[in-house]
Coordinates of all heavy atoms in Angstrom, one line a residue:
Y623 N 130.1 69.2 129.7 CA 129.0 69.2 130.7 C 129.2 70.3 131.7 O 128.3 71.1 132.0 CB 128.9 67.8 131.4 CG 128.1 67.9 132.7 CD1 126.7 67.8 132.7 CD2 128.7 68.0 133.9 CE1 126.0 67.9 133.8 CE2 128.0 68.1 135.1 CZ 126.6 68.0 135.0 OH 125.9 68.0 136.2
A624 N 130.4 70.4 132.2 CA 130.7 71.4 133.2 C 130.6 72.8 132.7 O 130.1 73.7 133.4 CB 132.1 71.1 133.8
R625 N 131.1 73.0 131.4 CA 131.0 74.4 130.9 C 129.5 74.8 130.6 O 129.1 75.9 130.9 CB 131.7 74.4 129.5 CG 133.2 74.5 129.7 CD 133.8 75.1 128.4 NE 133.5 74.3 127.2 CZ 134.3 73.3 126.8 NH1 135.4 72.9 127.5 NH2 133.9 72.6 125.7
L626 N 128.7 73.8 130.2 CA 127.3 74.2 129.9 C 126.5 74.5 131.2 O 125.7 75.4 131.2 CB 126.6 73.0 129.1 CG 125.2 73.2 128.7 CD1 125.1 74.5 127.8 CD2 124.6 72.0 128.0
M627 N 126.9 73.7 132.2 CA 126.2 74.0 133.5 C 126.4 75.4 134.0 O 125.6 76.0 134.6 CB 126.6 72.9 134.6 CG 126.0 71.6 134.4 SD 124.2 71.6 134.8 CE 124.2 71.9 136.6
K628 N 127.6 75.9 133.8 CA 128.0 77.2 134.4 C 128.0 78.3 133.3 O 128.3 79.5 133.7 CB 129.4 77.1 135.0 CG 129.5 76.1 136.2 CD 130.9 76.1 136.8 CE 131.9 75.5 135.9 NZ 133.2 75.3 136.5
Q629 N 127.7 78.0 132.1 CA 127.9 79.0 131.0 C 127.0 80.3 131.3 O 125.8 80.2 131.6 CB 127.4 78.4 129.7 CG 127.6 79.3 128.5 CD 129.0 79.6 128.1 OE1 129.8 78.7 128.0 NE2 129.3 80.9 127.9
D630 N 127.6 81.4 131.1 CA 126.9 82.7 131.2 C 126.7 83.2 129.7 O 127.7 83.5 129.1 CB 127.6 83.7 132.0 CG 126.9 85.0 132.2 OD1 125.9 85.3 131.5 OD2 127.3 85.9 133.0
F631 N 125.5 83.4 129.3 CA 125.2 83.8 127.9 C 125.1 85.3 127.7 O 124.7 85.8 126.6 CB 124.0 83.1 127.4 CG 124.2 81.6 127.3 CD1 123.7 80.7 128.2 CD2 124.9 81.1 126.2 CE1 123.9 79.4 128.1 CE2 125.1 79.7 126.1 CZ 124.6 78.8 127.0
N632 N 125.3 86.1 128.7 CA 125.1 87.5 128.6 C 126.0 88.2 127.5 O 125.6 89.0 126.8 CB 125.4 88.2 129.9 CG 124.3 88.0 130.9 OD1 123.1 87.7 130.6 ND2 124.6 88.0 132.2
D633 N 127.3 87.7 127.4 CA 128.2 88.3 126.4 C 127.7 87.9 125.0 O 127.7 88.8 124.1 CB 129.6 87.7 126.6 CG 130.3 88.3 127.9 OD1 129.7 89.3 128.4 OD2 131.3 87.8 128.3
L634 N 127.2 86.7 124.8 CA 126.7 86.3 123.5 C 125.5 87.2 123.1 O 125.3 87.6 122.0 CB 126.4 84.8 123.5 CG 126.2 84.2 122.1 CD1 127.4 84.4 121.3 CD2 125.9 82.7 122.3
E635 N 124.6 87.4 124.1 CA 123.4 88.2 123.9 C 123.8 89.6 123.5 O 123.2 90.2 122.6 CB 122.5 88.1 125.1 CG 121.2 88.9 124.9 CD 120.3 88.7 126.1 OE1 120.8 88.3 127.2 OE2 119.1 89.0 126.0
S636 N 124.7 90.2 124.3 CA 125.2 91.5 124.0 C 125.8 91.7 122.6 O 125.6 92.7 121.9 CB 126.2 92.0 125.1 OG 125.6 92.0 126.4
A637 N 126.6 90.7 122.2 CA 127.2 90.7 120.9 C 126.2 90.7 119.8 O 126.3 91.4 118.8 CB 128.2 89.5 120.7
A638 N 125.1 89.8 120.0 CA 124.1 89.8 119.0 C 123.4 91.1 118.9 O 123.1 91.6 117.7 CB 123.0 88.7 119.4
K639 N 123.1 91.8 120.0 CA 122.4 93.1 119.9 C 123.3 94.1 119.3 O 122.8 95.0 118.5 CB 122.0 93.5 121.3 CG 120.9 92.6 121.9 CD 120.5 93.1 123.3 CE 119.4 92.3 123.9 NZ 119.0 92.7 125.3
A640 N 124.6 94.0 119.6 CA 125.5 95.0 119.0 C 125.6 94.9 117.5 O 125.6 95.9 116.8 CB 126.9 94.8 119.6
W641 N 125.7 93.7 117.0 CA 125.7 93.5 115.5 C 124.4 94.0 114.9 O 124.4 94.5 113.8 CB 126.0 92.1 115.2 CG 127.4 91.7 115.2 CD1 128.1 91.0 116.1 CD2 128.4 92.1 114.2 NE1 129.4 90.9 115.8 CE2 129.7 91.6 114.6 CE3 128.4 92.8 113.0 CZ2 130.8 91.8 113.9 CZ3 129.5 93.0 112.3 CH2 130.7 92.5 112.7
T642 N 123.3 93.7 115.5 CA 122.0 94.2 115.0 C 121.9 95.7 115.0 O 121.4 96.3 114.0 CB 120.8 93.6 115.9 OG1 120.9 92.2 115.9 CG2 119.5 94.1 115.4
R643 N 122.5 96.3 116.0 CA 122.6 97.8 116.0 C 123.4 98.3 114.8 O 123.1 99.3 114.2 CB 123.1 98.3 117.3 CG 122.1 98.3 118.5 CD 122.6 99.2 119.6 NE 123.8 98.7 120.2 CZ 124.0 97.8 121.1 NH1 122.9 97.2 121.6 NH2 125.2 97.5 121.6
V644 N 124.5 97.6 114.6 CA 125.3 98.0 113.4 C 124.5 98.0 112.1 O 124.6 98.9 111.3 CB 126.6 97.1 113.3 CG1 127.3 97.3 112.0 CG2 127.6 97.3 114.4
A645 N 123.7 96.9 112.0 CA 122.9 96.8 110.8 C 121.9 97.9 110.7 O 121.7 98.5 109.6 CB 122.2 95.4 110.8
E646 N 121.3 98.2 111.8 CA 120.3 99.3 111.8 C 120.9 100.7 111.5 O 120.4 101.5 110.7 CB 119.6 99.4 113.2 CG 118.7 98.1 113.5 CD 118.3 98.1 114.9 OE1 118.8 98.9 115.7 OE2 117.5 97.2 115.2
E647 N 122.1 100.9 112.0 CA 122.8 102.1 111.7 C 123.2 102.2 110.2 O 123.1 103.3 109.6 CB 124.1 102.3 112.6 CG 123.7 102.5 114.0 CD 125.0 102.4 114.9 OE1 126.1 102.3 114.4 OE2 124.8 102.6 116.2
M648 N 123.6 101.1 109.6 CA 124.0 101.1 108.2 C 122.7 101.4 107.4 O 122.8 102.1 106.3 CB 124.5 99.7 107.8 CG 125.9 99.4 108.4 SD 127.2 100.6 108.0 CE 127.3 101.5 109.6
E649 N 121.6 100.9 107.8 CA 120.3 101.2 107.0 C 120.1 102.7 107.1 O 119.7 103.3 106.0 CB 119.2 100.4 107.7 CG 117.8 100.7 107.0 CD 116.7 100.0 107.6 OE1 116.9 99.4 108.7 OE2 115.6 100.1 107.1
G650 N 120.2 103.3 108.2 CA 120.0 104.7 108.3 C 121.0 105.5 107.5 O 120.6 106.5 106.9
L651 N 122.2 105.1 107.5 CA 123.3 105.8 106.8 C 123.0 105.7 105.3 O 123.2 106.7 104.5 CB 124.6 105.3 107.1 CG 125.2 105.6 108.5 CD1 126.5 104.8 108.8 CD2 125.4 107.1 108.7
A652 N 122.6 104.5 104.8 CA 122.3 104.4 103.4 C 121.2 105.2 103.0 O 121.2 105.9 101.9 CB 122.1 102.9 103.1

Side-chain angles (χ1 to χ4, degrees):
Y623 164 82
R625 282 201 303 270
L626 184 58
M627 282 292 289
K628 296 183 291 185
Q629 180 72 45
D630 183 349
F631 293 100
N632 286 333
D633 288 346
L634 196 56
E635 184 177 16
S636 297
K639 291 180 178 178
W641 277 105
T642 301
R643 283 196 300 272
V644 167
E646 292 168 351
E647 290 173 3
M648 292 302 105
E649 178 183 6
L651 289 172

